């Protein structure tokens, strides 16, 4: 079990403070060695502006989107950052107030307008935010910063300039879409989102965006809905943050955290309503697992998997073994919505108060669930899982549902293994051994972790008063071992002469290889991507 780290100095508060963008890249000071083969760019997304004028932004996911870039070349490193020029950001800066409602912060009408104009503003509704602070990924050769609405923002990965806002709902039937797509080796992108249909019906649509076409047409023009999955409640879709994919299966976990659709549609006419106000949860609903095939795309309606209530935000990996689908997840026990504990007022408290709040929150666990594909009525009451290496069970009940019980791969009191990463290019959708993650100590990120999902062995890197981010795995050129490579993490060390840094760890041992430090503070980052520099033959 990982050791507990206390934070009496409360340096973690610095990662939730506003910073300024940079006019130009700044050179980093190198300690240790940055491998010369590590040539490319690390792009990270996160909140960088936590108040507008005299109005504070309330939730971790409200801060205006800031894109960070560490450029690595010949053992040298530079750091650069800019705010994404979303509508939410530009209008907030122009009017010096929150203009578009964010996840947990409400927008109010312009106080300079008269009462009739303000009433009309409420009547016509408040716009959906395009504040793309969650992640960045590629579609073809283009880079898009994203949140969880239908808007994604194209950016230039070199200059970090904002290029174009794209409304995905104009191309496929989705009202929102996750910030964690999957990708085939050929570049095809898959994602899942809510869809509000006719007669107030709703479902979850898995969409496919093909690789960039060779002709001049837009990849989005050829995107399509592959398969539709039903919602367990007609007017209350679940909150979706990620999903699982194997070579030929999709797995969607439907947790008990629901969006009250009627409240959502009417909330914008109520003063002070936010997205967070529209969530509700009910432990009696439990959690459902939905399964669909990829080729041909078909929902397996006969396979009804259910288990007790839990929150899930990040899938680690999903793979098929024999006649079973193995699903590894970062979970939080129970139905209480974890995002209720991510208000900035909670995260900025003194350490003892942070711990008290975390004690009320759901307990995190890394879990493995196993979904049998071969189901027969005569097997009712029996454990259908015959894989020798797991204690996870699946039992067919008289109502036709299969009740799942997990194998716990890691559990530490108020200590989460989250923001998981794997050797994605080689092991996504396949049997694997290693998961890398960010350790959250009472919601405060204070270590990097490596979990062997087969042996449950855990390694960790930590340093006093250091606050790392999601570790991204980059394989060593020509690597043959699954964990032969490095981990890249943006680390903040408040109070140091150079408080922000790019940390490079040996992925096998979690020992430090090198560090590139800069003299500016870096706020919390959520997700990102590493892009190798093109080789001479590719230029």
């Amino acid at each position: 079990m990982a050791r507990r780290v206390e934070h009496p100095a409360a340096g973690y508060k610095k990662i939730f403070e506003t910073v300024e963008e940079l006019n130009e890249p700044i050179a980093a000071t190198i300690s240790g060695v940055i491998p010369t083969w590590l040539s490319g760019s690390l792009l990270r997304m996160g909140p960088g502006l936590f108040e507008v004028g005299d109005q504070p932004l309330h939730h971790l996911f409200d801060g205006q989107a800031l894109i960070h870039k560490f450029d690595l070349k010949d053992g040298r490193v530079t750091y650069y950052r800019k705010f994404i020029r979303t509508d939410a950001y530009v209008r907030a800066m122009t009017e010096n107030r929150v203009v578009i409602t964010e996840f947990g912060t409400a927008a109010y009408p312009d106080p300079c307008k008269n009462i009739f104009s303000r009433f009309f503003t409420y009547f016509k509704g408040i716009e959906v935010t395009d504040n793309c602070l969650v992640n960045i990924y590629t579609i073809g050769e283009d880079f898009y910063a994203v949140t969880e609405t239908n808007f994604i923002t194209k950016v230039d990965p070199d200059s970090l300039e904002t290029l174009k806002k794209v409304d995905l709902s104009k191309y496929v039937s989705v009202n929102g879409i996750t910030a964690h797509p999957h990708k085939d080796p050929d570049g095809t992108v898959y994602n899942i989102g809510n869809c509000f249909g006719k007669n107030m019906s709703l479902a979850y649509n898995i969409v496919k965006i093909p690789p960039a076409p060779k002709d001049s047409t837009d990849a989005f023009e050829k995107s399509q809905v592959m398969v539709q999955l039903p919602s367990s409640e007609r007017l209350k879709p679940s909150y979706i943050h990620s999903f699982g994919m194997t070579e030929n299966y999709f797995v969607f976990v439907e947790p008990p955290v629901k969006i009250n659709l009627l409240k959502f549609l009417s909330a914008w006419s109520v003063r002070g309503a936010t997205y967070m106000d529209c969530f509700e949860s009910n432990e009696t609903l439990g959690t459902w697992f939905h399964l669909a095939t990829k080729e041909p795309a078909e929902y397996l309606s006969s396979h009804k998997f259910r288990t007790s209530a839990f929150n899930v935000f990040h899938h680690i990996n999903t793979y098929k073994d024999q006649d079973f689908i193995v699903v590894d997840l970062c979970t939080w026990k129970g139905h209480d919505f974890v995002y209720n504990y991510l208000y900035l007022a909670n995260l900025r408290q003194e350490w003892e108060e942070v711990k008290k709040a975390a004690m009320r929150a759901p307990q995190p666990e890394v879990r493995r669930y196993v979904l049998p594909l071969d189901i027969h009525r005569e097997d009712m009451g029996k454990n259908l899982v015959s894989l020798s290496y797991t204690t996870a069970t699946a039992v067919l009940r008289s109502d036709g549902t299969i009740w799942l019980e997990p194998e716990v791969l890691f559990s530490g009191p108020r200590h989460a293994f989250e923001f998981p990463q794997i050797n994605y290019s080689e092991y996504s959708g396949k049997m694997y051994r290693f998961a890398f993650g960010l350790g959250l100590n009472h919601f405060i990120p204070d270590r990097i972790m490596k979990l062997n999902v087969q042996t449950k062995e855990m390694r960790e890197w930590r340093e006093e008063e250091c606050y790392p981010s999601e570790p991204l795995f980059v394989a060593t050129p020509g690597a043959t071992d699954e964990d032969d490579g490095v981990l890249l993490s943006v680390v903040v060390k408040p109070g140091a002469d150079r408080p922000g840094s790019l940390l490079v760890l040996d992925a096998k041992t979690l020992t430090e290889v090198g560090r590139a430090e800069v003299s500016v503070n870096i706020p919390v980052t959520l997700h990102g991507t590493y892009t190798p520099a093109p080789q001479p033959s590719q230029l």
Side-chain angles (χ1 to χ4, degrees):
M1 182 177 295
R3 292 166 290 173
R4 179 70 60 222
V5 176
E6 297 295 312
H7 298 287
Y12 51 83
K13 296 180 182 182
K14 294 292 292 184
I15 65 176
F16 308 117
E17 290 185 2
T18 291
V19 297
E20 295 182 347
E21 62 184 13
L22 298 175
N23 294 323
E24 59 185 17
I26 57 177
T29 300
I30 307 298
S31 60
V33 177
I34 305 296
T36 54
W37 61 261
L38 197 61
S39 181
S41 297
L42 174 68
L43 297 174
R44 300 284 302 174
M45 294 303 307
L49 181 72
F50 294 94
E51 60 281 318
V52 180
D54 59 0
Q55 183 179 359
L57 294 161
H58 299 305
H59 200 275
L60 176 62
F61 303 141
D62 293 345
Q64 293 300 301
L66 184 66
I67 182 170
H68 309 255
K69 181 174 73 162
F70 280 94
D71 263 335
L72 302 94
K73 185 178 181 180
D74 300 328
R76 298 188 299 273
V77 180
T78 60
Y79 171 67
Y80 190 38
R81 67 187 180 211
K82 287 185 74 70
F83 284 102
I84 305 286
R85 265 55 177 181
T86 60
D87 288 348
Y89 176 82
V90 171
R91 292 171 64 185
M93 294 300 97
T94 301
E95 301 189 33
N96 200 33
R97 65 184 183 89
V98 177
V99 179
I100 299 178
T101 289
E102 300 293 350
F103 204 73
T105 303
Y108 295 92
D110 187 346
C112 297
K113 291 182 178 180
N114 63 39
I115 189 170
F116 299 106
S117 297
R118 280 184 279 167
F119 177 80
F120 180 73
T121 300
Y122 282 129
F123 181 76
K124 72 177 183 178
I126 296 178
E127 300 149 280
V128 172
T129 184
D130 61 346
N131 182 21
C132 49
L133 76 160
V134 180
N135 200 1
I136 184 168
Y137 57 80
T138 56
I139 297 176
E141 296 181 354
D142 298 328
F143 288 74
Y144 291 88
V146 300
T147 179
E148 296 181 322
T149 68
N150 50 296
F151 296 118
I152 63 176
T153 303
K154 184 178 177 180
V155 297
D156 184 320
D158 296 320
S159 67
L160 305 188
E161 294 295 329
T162 304
L163 300 178
K164 182 174 67 173
K165 176 178 175 178
V166 176
D167 183 355
L168 290 174
S169 68
K170 291 182 177 179
Y171 302 96
V172 286
S173 181
V174 290
N175 296 89
I177 201 160
T178 82
H180 293 287
H182 281 285
K183 186 177 286 190
D184 275 345
D186 69 356
T188 301
V189 173
Y190 303 89
N191 212 335
I192 186 170
N194 288 316
C195 167
F196 304 152
K198 296 179 180 179
N199 301 319
M200 297 293 287
S201 64
L202 61 91
Y204 309 99
N205 284 344
I206 294 177
V207 302
K208 175 182 179 180
I209 304 174
K214 294 181 180 179
D215 56 29
S216 59
T217 59
D218 192 329
F220 296 113
E221 295 285 354
K222 297 185 178 180
S223 58
Q224 60 180 303
V225 173
M226 289 191 68
V227 61
Q228 187 169 90
L229 313 177
S231 173
S232 61
E233 284 199 281
R234 181 169 175 265
L235 296 177
K236 296 178 182 179
S238 288
Y239 172 73
I240 317 170
H241 193 80
S242 64
F243 67 109
M245 187 179 85
T246 74
E247 183 179 1
N248 199 40
Y249 288 92
F250 298 110
V251 175
F252 166 51
V253 180
E254 187 182 22
V257 177
K258 301 287 184 177
I259 304 168
N260 186 318
L261 185 56
L262 293 177
K263 187 183 293 185
F264 182 80
L265 295 176
S266 62
W268 304 136
S269 64
V270 179
R271 183 175 178 83
T274 70
Y275 293 87
M276 282 294 293
D277 295 322
C278 300
F279 289 109
E280 60 184 49
S281 55
N282 185 337
E283 188 169 20
T284 61
L285 295 174
T287 300
W288 292 86
F289 284 67
H290 297 271
L291 195 59
T293 52
K294 206 170 156 189
E295 296 291 345
E298 180 183 2
Y299 174 58
L300 300 184
S301 58
S302 59
H303 292 59
K304 297 181 174 64
F305 302 102
R306 194 178 184 190
T307 188
S308 54
F310 64 81
N311 284 224
V312 60
F313 306 105
H314 299 114
H315 286 240
I316 301 174
N317 198 14
T318 305
Y319 64 89
K320 182 177 182 290
D321 186 11
Q322 301 176 45
D323 288 326
F324 302 94
I325 303 295
V326 179
V327 185
D328 291 350
L329 305 169
C330 296
T331 71
W332 300 77
K333 293 181 181 178
H335 68 288
D336 188 12
F337 195 22
V338 171
Y339 287 2
N340 291 331
Y341 300 89
L342 299 182
Y343 282 94
L344 293 168
N346 294 337
L347 298 173
R348 290 167 170 162
Q349 294 183 105
E350 296 301 322
W351 179 237
E352 290 304 317
E353 295 303 312
V354 168
K355 290 198 295 183
K356 287 179 184 178
M359 292 301 290
R360 298 189 295 270
Q363 165 69 15
E365 280 187 346
V366 178
R367 293 179 177 179
R368 168 166 289 176
Y369 288 89
V370 178
L371 284 53
L373 298 172
D374 194 13
I375 300 167
H376 304 282
R377 295 294 299 179
E378 58 267 25
D379 291 329
M380 190 179 302
K382 300 177 183 177
N383 175 23
L384 304 180
V385 180
S386 58
L387 296 177
S388 60
Y389 56 80
T390 182
T391 58
T393 62
V395 177
L396 180 62
R397 292 183 164 184
S398 58
D399 61 0
T401 61
I402 298 113
W403 185 264
L404 305 176
E405 289 291 345
E407 176 183 6
V408 176
L409 301 181
F410 171 77
S411 181
R414 312 300 157 188
H415 183 188
F417 177 97
E418 263 289 359
F419 295 83
Q421 292 287 315
I422 62 170
N423 183 342
Y424 189 91
S425 62
E426 296 295 327
Y427 289 89
S428 176
K430 302 174 183 177
M431 185 180 290
Y432 71 116
R433 290 176 62 198
F434 300 113
F436 309 97
L438 181 63
L440 303 181
N441 177 6
H442 295 78
F443 292 113
I444 301 301
D446 66 7
R447 68 196 73 195
I448 294 170
M449 306 172 73
K450 177 184 181 181
L451 172 64
N452 185 323
V453 299
Q454 296 181 8
T455 66
K456 303 183 184 179
E457 177 188 7
M458 181 71 79
R459 289 179 179 267
E460 66 172 42
W461 172 93
R462 65 179 180 88
E463 187 174 300
E464 292 298 328
E465 290 301 313
C466 275
Y467 304 98
S469 67
E470 168 194 65
L472 292 181
F473 176 83
V474 183
T476 303
T480 55
D481 292 341
E482 180 181 343
D483 58 348
D484 186 357
V486 296
L487 299 178
L488 304 181
S489 176
V490 177
V491 176
V492 181
K493 189 170 186 177
D497 291 339
R498 294 182 291 272
S501 64
L502 172 64
L503 176 68
V504 183
L505 298 179
D506 184 313
K508 283 183 177 288
T509 62
L510 257 58
T511 54
E512 183 170 337
V513 175
R515 195 179 301 208
E517 299 175 319
V518 291
S519 57
V520 293
N521 187 54
I522 300 176
V524 61
T525 64
L526 300 174
H527 300 287
T529 186
Y530 173 78
T531 304
Q535 298 301 307
S537 60
Q538 297 175 296
L539 297 175

